[in-house]
């Protein structure tokens, strides 16, 4: 989800005369909370925690929302915030899991189930009981795109925010 906007934005940022060194000096208040949130999610995946999953996932999203809010003056943080909130709504509404469209999976693989991923505890197949379907992973980016995937509306906001992060920060004076 972050590869394409990052690579594309860095290339365009360089073509526009941006500087890599600006990325080294980005000031994000509360950045360490992002590390805490990522660490919690990694630990949840490594130990396949299912008990209290919703609680721990909610804590990580609250930390990310907090970071976005305390840095809201940066234009790209507004996009991150919208994307994170949209993803959090659907994940919270589905017990800590992100529903994924199986018909979308068929657009990428020939399988009719979610592919097994060793450390993925957050994704689940979309079904009739899924809440907030329109916010789930339902947007298919199929082949021949080299990195086919299924995204949510929230993911798209986060990807645009990632793109804008590099554009804004590389061109910063």
């Amino acid at each position: 989800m972050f590869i394409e906007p990052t690579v594309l934005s860095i290339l365009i940022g360089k073509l526009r005369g941006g500087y890599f060194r600006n990325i080294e000096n980005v000031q994000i208040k509360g950045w360490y909370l992002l590390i805490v949130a990522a660490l919690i999610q990694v630990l949840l995946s490594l130990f396949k925690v299912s008990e209290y999953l919703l609680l721990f996932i909610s804590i990580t999203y609250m930390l990310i929302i907090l970071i976005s809010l305390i840095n809201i003056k940066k234009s790209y943080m507004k996009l991150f915030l919208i994307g994170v909130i949209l993803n959090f709504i659907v994940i919270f509404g589905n017990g800590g899991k992100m529903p994924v469209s199986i018909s979308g999976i068929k657009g990428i693989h020939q399988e009719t189930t979610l592919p097994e991923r060793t450390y993925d505890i957050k994704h689940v197949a979309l079904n009739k009981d899924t809440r907030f379907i329109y916010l789930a992973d339902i947007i298919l980016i199929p082949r021949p795109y080299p990195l086919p995937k299924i995204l949510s509306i929230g993911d798209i906001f986060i990807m645009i925010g990632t793109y804008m992060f590099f554009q804004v920060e590389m061109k910063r004076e």
Side-chain angles (χ1 to χ4, degrees):
M1 179 167 84
F2 295 106
I3 294 171
E4 297 97 327
T6 300
V7 171
L8 180 65
S9 189
I10 287 174
L11 289 173
I12 291 174
K14 281 306 289 176
L15 290 173
R16 293 179 56 221
Y19 298 101
F20 288 121
R21 68 175 177 265
N22 287 355
I23 301 299
E24 297 172 6
N25 300 316
V26 173
Q27 301 291 319
I28 303 289
K29 297 174 192 165
W31 58 269
Y32 50 89
L33 296 175
L34 189 59
I35 293 173
V36 172
L39 186 61
I40 290 171
Q41 290 215 8
V42 167
L43 291 173
L44 290 172
S45 295
L46 286 176
F47 296 105
K48 298 196 177 277
V49 175
S50 59
E51 193 170 337
Y52 305 111
L53 178 65
L54 180 59
L55 172 67
F56 288 120
I57 291 290
S58 296
I59 289 169
T60 64
Y61 273 85
M62 289 299 167
L63 290 173
I64 297 168
I65 289 170
L66 178 62
I67 294 165
S68 299
L69 286 173
I70 61 178
N71 291 284
I72 201 70
K73 288 184 180 175
K74 297 179 183 283
S75 60
Y76 50 84
M77 282 297 182
K78 295 171 182 69
L79 295 165
F80 283 131
L81 181 62
I82 292 168
V84 169
I85 288 173
L86 292 175
N87 281 349
F88 182 53
I89 289 169
V90 67
I91 288 171
F92 186 81
N94 291 285
K97 306 257 183 180
M98 171 58 94
V100 179
S101 167
I102 294 301
S103 60
I105 291 288
K106 290 178 191 172
I108 297 173
H109 306 286
Q110 297 305 316
E111 303 159 4
T112 57
T113 60
L114 279 179
E116 287 288 327
R117 293 184 186 153
T118 305
Y119 300 108
D120 186 358
I121 60 167
K122 207 164 59 176
H123 292 95
V124 65
L126 193 147
N127 62 46
K128 65 177 180 53
D129 297 323
T130 298
R131 301 173 78 195
F132 307 108
I133 289 173
Y134 50 87
L135 296 178
D137 283 351
I138 57 172
I139 303 167
L140 174 64
I141 314 252
R143 294 186 194 285
Y145 184 70
L147 300 171
K149 59 187 75 206
I150 302 173
L151 301 170
S152 68
I153 294 172
D155 292 342
I156 291 172
F157 275 97
I158 292 170
M159 291 173 77
I160 295 170
T162 301
Y163 177 86
M164 292 306 298
F165 165 81
F166 286 101
Q167 291 300 300
V168 168
E169 297 298 346
M170 286 180 75
K171 288 295 288 180
R172 185 172 30 90
E173 298 294 321

